[in-house]
Amino acid sequence: MRPMSFGIKSFAISCLIVTILGVQAYIGFTRIRGTTWPFVSYPMYAWAKQEGERLEDYSVTAVFADGTELPDYERVIDTPFWILRENFVLPIARQELDADAAREAARVFCGQTAESPVRLELIDTGVSVGRHGAVYGEPQTVGTVDLACR
Amino acid sequence: MNFWTRYWFDPRPVLDIAIVRIVCCVTTLYFCVAFLHYHAEILDRALLDDTLYRPFLLFRLVHLPFGWGYSGSGGADGLGTWAFRPSGDFVLLAYSVFIVSGVMAAIGLLTRTSLLVFAASYFYVESYIFAYGDFHHPSAAMVIMLGLLALSPAGQVLSVDNVLRARRGAAIDLHADAPFAGWAIRLMQWFFALMYLSAFYSKLHFGGLDWMNGYTLQYYLIQDGLRWGSGLAVWVAQFHWLILLGQIGVMVFQGTFFLEVLFPRLRWIYIPIGLCLHISIYILLHAPFFTWIALYSIFIPWRDVADYFGHRSGRISQAGEL
């Protein structure tokens, strides 16, 4: 079979090839995160960790008006894990939100149970990495958000 | 120009791209419908507060006739005054289109059109699911692959379209070559090389050579093991030296994967290693890169493999007759 001649179709596809590979190469090496999906960089598990480093492993304890507490509240409600983590858990744990912004973010917890909590406590589970695997330490409260559900 | 034309556009087996089409469509449908339960995911997101809605650039472009900003942005960044957020019902309608067109594309009925609709609806549904401050990597390459398949002769064989052509006496032979049957596969092979290079570069950038210290992967094994209830990951995390060697292996694999595209014979080394890597990531870390596993089909010369086994079975049956 004869090789293809370079026609309009070949030219159009060539432009597409160059564009797709060019965009992916640019984004892949400039670490633009997500905004240009489906062209993204791939920094999965890319941050180095050291012996003794605590895991970013948190749970949420809900405190109700009568003082009762419900641990692992994030498992009770319907909001998907990653949305909670990106919008609420990590920004509060990393102290990237001020009190107003944290209260706003915490609204995702409102109305998800028969009675809404009045306060949320973010608990660091206290697990760290050791040479021989997981090291279990004492859990710590790393953030508290008063919740004003309407 | 000759080399470029030969490399991308010389006639290639139509069987190869047809098998890639079937593998990609079936895997994508299974992944979204049966594994990730996108119906429920869409319903969950439809209930979320407007303040959490932060769509990506391309998703906002899709809605441009209706609005550019997003609800709840309050105009603080200048985007909130002309906002649009699709309703859950509308996204469910798009999801229905996604399923129907995916089935049609898999069986090869109106292949080009159904692939185009499948790719577009997959992009739409996935973009909606990722519009709430969180996104994941596995589907990005598949969205692009499905779009490229729609521009390729992916339905020439192993398709209902070809059965209908056969009734008119114009069927395409399973062993045929066709112009433009190879460029999409080659393009995605290079795209894969760039994805792995991006992962390699990210590790060097964020972690440096210290990334390969053993503790890094132990950390992620423990974290994801506890998060997703993988006792196996937590157990494996106790073997420091084994994990350190594994980390070196990952860096070498990701940093040199492009060699497989340059020298296709290396595929018989890289593809089994890559498959083992992604399957073990799923077993240990519960990170489902099924779409990448399916996309590995672009590295298999399916017609050559079929011919090889065809000849072997022919020789065996001839020997039996003797």
Side-chain angles (χ1 to χ4, degrees):
Chain A
M1 205 175 281
R2 276 192 322 119
M4 291 286 300
S5 60
F6 201 82
I8 291 175
K9 189 173 176 183
S10 306
F11 177 73
I13 293 174
S14 296
C15 291
L16 185 69
I17 291 168
V18 171
T19 304
I20 288 177
L21 293 181
V23 170
Q24 177 56 38
Y26 176 74
I27 291 171
F29 295 107
T30 47
R31 309 178 307 280
I32 297 169
R33 190 183 181 276
T35 51
T36 51
W37 189 90
F39 294 94
V40 289
S41 59
Y42 289 84
M44 302 94 81
Y45 307 111
W47 285 262
K49 303 295 178 184
Q50 307 300 330
E51 185 175 17
E53 196 162 333
R54 282 172 89 99
L55 269 55
E56 281 193 328
D57 187 38
Y58 305 101
S59 68
V60 178
T61 295
V63 182
F64 295 91
D66 62 1
T68 55
E69 294 187 355
L70 183 58
D72 297 328
Y73 190 59
E74 73 281 3
R75 294 177 192 271
V76 176
I77 63 175
D78 282 335
T79 307
F81 169 85
W82 291 107
I83 291 176
L84 276 185
R85 182 175 164 83
E86 294 297 324
N87 291 288
F88 175 75
V89 173
L90 289 185
I92 291 177
R94 293 170 180 166
Q95 298 182 331
E96 291 169 353
L97 295 179
D98 59 28
D100 287 341
R103 253 196 308 279
E104 187 67 21
R107 278 177 51 199
V108 72
F109 292 91
C110 290
Q112 298 231 25
T113 47
E115 186 190 351
S116 289
V118 294
R119 194 170 74 244
L120 299 170
E121 292 176 354
L122 191 61
I123 313 292
D124 178 335
T125 55
V127 184
S128 58
V129 59
R131 191 174 186 82
H132 302 292
V135 178
Y136 296 89
E138 280 298 309
Q140 287 179 3
T141 302
V142 292
T144 301
V145 180
D146 291 325
L147 202 54
C149 294
R150 286 189 287 267
Chain B
M1 191 59 81
N2 264 350
F3 172 76
W4 178 271
T5 309
R6 273 202 315 276
Y7 184 79
W8 293 104
F9 303 124
D10 259 7
R12 303 286 303 161
V14 289
L15 181 64
D16 289 6
I17 197 152
I19 290 181
V20 168
R21 180 197 91 228
I22 294 168
V23 170
C24 288
C25 291
V26 170
T27 306
T28 304
L29 282 172
Y30 169 78
F31 189 57
C32 297
V33 177
F35 187 82
L36 294 175
H37 306 289
Y38 268 13
H39 186 268
E41 294 283 332
I42 292 167
L43 290 176
D44 281 347
R45 280 157 179 79
L47 295 173
L48 291 175
D49 196 280
D50 281 345
T51 52
L52 293 175
Y53 183 64
R54 292 190 294 275
F56 294 152
L57 180 67
L58 290 179
F59 197 49
R60 286 157 67 187
L61 279 173
V62 169
H63 293 133
L64 194 54
F66 306 104
W68 172 250
Y70 46 87
S71 308
S73 57
D77 54 3
L79 301 174
T81 49
W82 186 35
F84 178 78
R85 177 187 176 189
S87 69
D89 287 342
F90 184 77
V91 181
L92 282 178
L93 179 66
Y95 182 59
S96 306
V97 171
F98 161 79
I99 294 172
V100 172
S101 59
V103 172
M104 287 174 64
I107 64 173
L109 176 61
L110 301 172
T111 313
R112 202 175 279 266
T113 308
S114 54
L115 272 169
L116 199 61
V117 175
F118 188 44
S121 54
Y122 185 32
F123 167 80
Y124 191 87
V125 170
E126 199 76 305
S127 295
Y128 177 77
I129 284 175
F130 291 165
Y132 295 87
D134 153 57
F135 85 100
H136 300 277
H137 291 89
S139 55
M142 185 58 90
V143 167
I144 293 168
M145 182 78 237
L146 291 172
L148 296 178
L149 284 172
L151 302 175
S152 304
Q156 290 206 343
V157 295
L158 300 182
S159 63
V160 174
D161 288 346
N162 202 32
V163 173
L164 297 176
R165 272 194 297 270
R167 286 188 175 180
R168 300 193 301 270
I172 294 169
D173 183 64
L174 205 58
H175 283 71
D177 283 340
F180 301 107
W183 68 271
I185 287 178
R186 284 199 191 276
L187 172 53
M188 279 314 290
Q189 289 176 346
W190 279 109
F191 196 90
F192 245 90
L194 287 174
M195 292 194 307
Y196 281 131
L197 277 176
S198 173
F200 173 76
Y201 170 75
S202 298
K203 290 179 181 69
L204 282 183
H205 179 82
F206 291 114
L209 291 176
D210 192 39
W211 187 86
M212 295 178 284
N213 62 12
Y215 295 109
T216 300
L217 189 52
Q218 282 180 288
Y219 177 99
Y220 292 120
L221 281 165
I222 296 165
Q223 178 161 281
D224 284 13
L226 293 175
R227 179 183 297 162
W228 305 120
S230 170
L232 185 60
V234 179
W235 181 76
V236 169
Q238 64 185 303
F239 302 107
H240 179 77
W241 284 104
L242 181 73
I243 290 167
L244 192 149
L245 290 174
Q247 284 190 262
I248 294 170
V250 167
M251 284 294 258
V252 171
F253 175 81
Q254 292 182 334
T256 62
F257 188 85
F258 67 93
L259 292 173
E260 188 278 336
V261 186
L262 287 173
F263 307 106
R265 284 190 177 192
L266 292 175
R267 67 167 71 100
W268 305 116
I269 299 171
Y270 276 89
I271 299 311
I273 292 174
L275 287 173
C276 288
L277 176 70
H278 290 300
I279 291 169
S280 59
I281 285 174
Y282 175 64
I283 292 172
L284 291 171
L285 303 174
H286 290 199
F289 280 78
F290 297 151
T291 46
W292 287 27
I293 292 171
L295 282 169
Y296 266 43
S297 61
I298 61 177
F299 295 104
I300 311 289
W302 293 102
R303 191 181 66 181
D304 294 349
V305 171
D307 285 348
Y308 174 77
F309 284 108
H311 288 147
R312 265 181 70 104
S313 62
R315 278 203 301 273
I316 290 168
S317 59
Q318 278 177 358
E321 284 167 14
L322 289 172

